[in-house]
Amino acid sequence: MVSENVNEKYGVSVRSSNRKSRLQRNQYTVSLMNEGLQEGFLTGQEIMRIRHAFMQILQELIQKYTRGESSSVTTDTAESLLTSIMYAADAYLFGCGEPERALTYLQTMDIRQIYDRGVEKVSECFAETWQLYKEIVVSKLEVPVDAYQMTIDESLPIFLKKYGVIFDAHNTMASIDYPLAIDDMRLRGVFYMKQYMERLKLENEFCAMFDPGELLDLLTYYGRVCRFDYRIELFNIFELVLNNAIFSILSGGDVGSVAITAGQYKRLAQWFMGMIKPQIRSVISEAMERLQQELPIRPELKQYMDGCKEELVQRVANNAKINDLETVIIVEREAKAKSMIISFSEEDRMSDVELRKMLHKVMECEGKEEKIDLILSSIHSLHDYLDLLEAECLYGEEYDALFQTFGDMELAILVKVVLYEELRSESLDLPSILLQGNEYPMEWQMQFVRCLQGMSRERQLTIERYMNEIDYEQIKFY
């Protein structure tokens, strides 16, 4: 039988309260019942009737879940099934509009009918979500941002494949990493996923209005100014494009451009630093209105853009106070000349078979010198070096012997990989980072940091100068 814990968790309290309860979107039916009871619209007897009806539906659902083999399940399963039932009821009652009407339905309608109509609404929403996904696939941006691509290619299909209208209506069923510019985490299940896809579609629609080359350049410049690899970081592309499009207009650029030159940035920074917040809000509002008027912006997209305005105003106001607008207004930044010794090219990587054979030979080497000579003569690709180090073919002093053969440029490349998080802080130089004594998850990383710590400060600063010549978009971390 269903555990009493389920009744306690989802049962409605009949205790009186002087404080009016707030209706919750995620527990709308239960909130309505509490509200109705406190306002005297529902009696305690009616509450018990409604509650009993939901428990009857639960018992029937348990039978379906177990395919008639049992009338009882674990408490966790029963709670999940009941949450799915209440999700369907919420879908119907919330869709009624006014809470008073929903309360009337609770009082007068058969609860079974409320549930069945809720299931229909959930099913309709799921069908609409499928259609949205098809449209998102068509409008997907060609950008090398992992979280964005994986969300569309993997996470959303997982949800669509696994979602269950009857048994799992409340579950999101997927892990979504890509952040929206505006997200409502109060929702869950298919209603959350539909909202997510609706907003992602709007974001795609807006970004597609700009030149793809300018968009890729913007991402590259953003990675350089933030000192990270934009391909693996979590950020919202739409927000970045929208902001720079606004700044382009304010700097005298064309509508539909996101490129900001160093000269334009200097004028904007001086301008904003002389403004108070209401003035900043006014000029940003005017620029956004012009953007909305001159680009083919639909009403839904206009509303979404308007919802992002205040966040931008706040960021500009805060950063202008400290004369630091570089991470808000993304400026064109030329890459420095590079002289790579270790190859980044995929063509220079060993095949999986070749790499396994080479690693086996390394393991068979008896002496340290023989092992290092074999590595240096066989490996020419950064990716193969990383595979070698992660395979743990070296021991103790062998790590230091290998690292000592590297030049400053090779060491700088590995520093960019190993100290990725630490290097995001512009306030610390390499010697200061090495003094922190941080722990690292892999043995080779610890050995590498110890090797660097044993070098002179002058050598460390030389390596740092090379580090500043390397762009993260050259390096793959997987």
Side-chain angles (χ1 to χ4, degrees):
M1 296 299 292
V2 179
S3 168
E4 286 299 317
N5 292 337
V6 180
N7 291 321
E8 291 173 4
K9 181 173 181 179
Y10 289 95
V12 180
S13 172
V14 295
R15 291 176 297 177
S16 61
S17 172
N18 293 325
R19 182 176 179 272
K20 183 177 181 180
S21 62
R22 181 177 299 172
L23 295 178
Q24 301 176 33
R25 179 64 180 90
N26 274 338
Q27 292 185 325
Y28 193 70
T29 304
V30 171
S31 297
L32 277 172
M33 293 164 69
N34 277 323
E35 187 72 16
L37 182 64
Q38 292 178 13
E39 294 299 315
F41 193 83
L42 295 175
T43 66
Q45 186 175 4
E46 287 175 319
I47 291 290
M48 295 303 294
R49 174 187 62 80
I50 295 168
R51 179 173 152 189
H52 178 70
F54 280 123
M55 298 309 292
Q56 282 186 317
I57 296 172
L58 174 60
Q59 289 292 351
E60 294 172 13
L61 210 58
I62 289 173
Q63 288 287 335
K64 291 182 180 179
Y65 183 82
T66 63
R67 298 180 181 178
E69 295 179 2
S70 176
S71 60
S72 63
V73 291
T74 65
T75 298
D76 288 344
T77 299
E79 289 181 350
S80 180
L81 292 174
L82 185 53
T83 304
S84 185
I85 292 169
M86 301 308 294
Y87 185 90
D90 290 350
Y92 178 69
L93 294 174
F94 186 79
C96 293
E98 293 299 323
E100 291 78 8
R101 180 182 299 174
L103 275 170
T104 300
Y105 288 167
L106 268 178
Q107 188 179 44
T108 60
M109 282 181 66
D110 186 338
I111 299 302
R112 162 74 61 182
Q113 191 176 19
I114 290 176
Y115 170 70
D116 289 342
R117 290 187 180 181
V119 170
E120 290 177 7
K121 278 195 169 292
V122 173
S123 298
E124 290 170 3
C125 184
F126 185 56
E128 292 166 357
T129 304
W130 253 112
Q131 181 58 37
L132 278 168
Y133 176 69
K134 294 176 183 177
E135 295 169 3
I136 286 170
V137 170
V138 172
S139 67
K140 186 173 70 167
L141 305 173
E142 294 300 324
V143 291
V145 178
D146 289 351
Y148 173 84
Q149 296 292 343
M150 291 177 67
T151 293
I152 296 175
D153 294 342
E154 299 178 19
S155 300
L156 299 183
I158 286 174
F159 166 78
L160 294 169
K161 181 179 179 180
K162 292 187 175 182
Y163 185 72
V165 172
I166 302 300
F167 300 132
D168 294 298
H170 57 294
N171 285 331
T172 304
M173 312 293 288
S175 175
I176 298 176
D177 292 329
Y178 183 70
L180 295 172
I182 304 174
D183 205 355
D184 186 354
M185 302 301 293
R186 295 172 299 175
L187 299 178
R188 56 181 175 172
V190 72
F191 289 105
Y192 172 76
M193 294 301 292
K194 182 186 176 187
Q195 172 202 257
Y196 182 93
M197 293 192 204
E198 285 173 339
R199 296 181 177 185
L200 183 58
K201 181 186 173 186
L202 289 175
E203 293 187 0
N204 285 351
E205 180 181 326
F206 178 78
C207 293
M209 297 177 188
F210 297 84
D211 179 75
E214 279 197 13
L215 180 54
L216 287 174
D217 287 342
L218 177 62
L219 296 175
T220 300
Y221 303 147
Y222 182 60
R224 288 174 186 166
V225 72
C226 294
R227 298 165 66 98
F228 61 44
D229 183 353
Y230 73 85
R231 298 167 303 179
I232 63 174
E233 291 291 332
L234 298 180
F235 67 97
N236 182 258
I237 301 169
F238 164 82
E239 192 172 35
L240 194 64
V241 174
L242 173 61
N243 293 354
N244 251 47
I246 289 172
F247 295 132
S248 175
I249 292 173
L250 292 176
S251 64
D254 297 332
V255 174
S257 175
V258 293
I260 304 290
T261 66
Q264 288 173 318
Y265 170 80
K266 184 176 180 180
R267 291 192 296 272
L268 284 172
Q270 291 174 342
W271 193 32
F272 281 129
M273 283 188 287
M275 293 184 187
I276 59 175
K277 190 173 179 180
Q279 292 172 317
I280 293 173
R281 181 180 292 107
S282 176
V283 298
I284 287 178
S285 296
E286 289 177 6
M288 185 175 287
E289 287 174 8
R290 184 180 168 194
L291 197 64
Q292 293 166 344
Q293 290 169 0
E294 299 191 26
L295 292 180
I297 304 295
R298 296 186 294 117
E300 296 87 350
L301 178 54
K302 178 182 181 301
Q303 183 179 9
Y304 193 68
M305 293 167 64
D306 289 340
C308 299
K309 181 171 61 181
E310 195 58 33
E311 172 68 19
L312 178 58
V313 170
Q314 190 64 52
R315 287 186 64 198
V316 171
N318 291 342
N319 286 56
K321 288 179 182 179
I322 57 175
N323 191 20
D324 182 23
L325 285 164
E326 287 190 348
T327 57
V328 182
I329 306 171
I330 307 304
V331 184
E332 295 176 351
R333 291 170 177 262
E334 291 297 326
K336 296 181 180 179
K338 302 172 185 65
S339 176
M340 297 292 109
I341 298 172
I342 294 179
S343 171
F344 292 100
S345 175
E346 289 286 334
E347 296 177 356
D348 293 325
R349 294 187 70 173
M350 293 181 179
S351 67
D352 290 342
V353 173
E354 290 172 333
L355 183 62
R356 284 196 297 269
K357 288 181 178 179
M358 193 278 296
L359 293 177
H360 183 69
K361 290 180 181 179
V362 171
M363 295 292 288
E364 288 184 332
C365 291
E366 296 182 0
K368 177 173 62 178
E369 290 77 12
E370 180 186 1
K371 185 176 286 191
I372 301 304
D373 288 343
L374 175 60
I375 292 171
L376 294 176
S377 63
S378 303
I379 299 181
H380 307 287
S381 162
L382 169 66
H383 309 93
D384 290 336
Y385 268 112
L386 294 176
D387 287 339
L388 166 80
L389 292 168
E390 292 178 4
E392 299 183 346
C393 296
L394 304 180
Y395 304 94
E397 296 179 354
E398 294 173 348
Y399 285 104
D400 190 65
L402 176 63
F403 296 139
Q404 291 293 347
T405 67
F406 287 1
D408 293 338
M409 178 60 78
E410 292 97 331
L411 293 172
I413 294 168
L414 289 180
V415 169
K416 296 280 278 191
V417 175
V418 176
L419 303 181
Y420 178 81
E421 291 296 334
E422 291 88 337
L423 292 173
R424 293 178 62 173
S425 172
E426 295 186 7
S427 62
L428 296 177
D429 57 14
L430 179 59
S432 300
I433 291 173
L434 294 174
L435 287 174
Q436 291 180 334
N438 295 334
E439 294 292 325
Y440 298 90
M442 303 188 72
E443 174 65 17
W444 78 266
Q445 295 172 332
M446 290 296 299
Q447 294 285 354
F448 177 67
V449 171
R450 288 172 189 155
C451 178
L452 294 174
Q453 290 170 336
M455 297 178 181
S456 66
R457 178 179 175 84
E458 181 180 357
R459 178 86 186 276
Q460 292 171 356
L461 291 174
T462 299
I463 293 171
E464 182 174 37
R465 284 195 292 273
Y466 281 113
M467 285 161 42
N468 293 330
E469 296 182 2
I470 302 168
D471 287 329
Y472 272 117
E473 56 263 29
Q474 291 181 288
I475 304 174
K476 286 189 176 181
F477 290 83
Y478 45 86

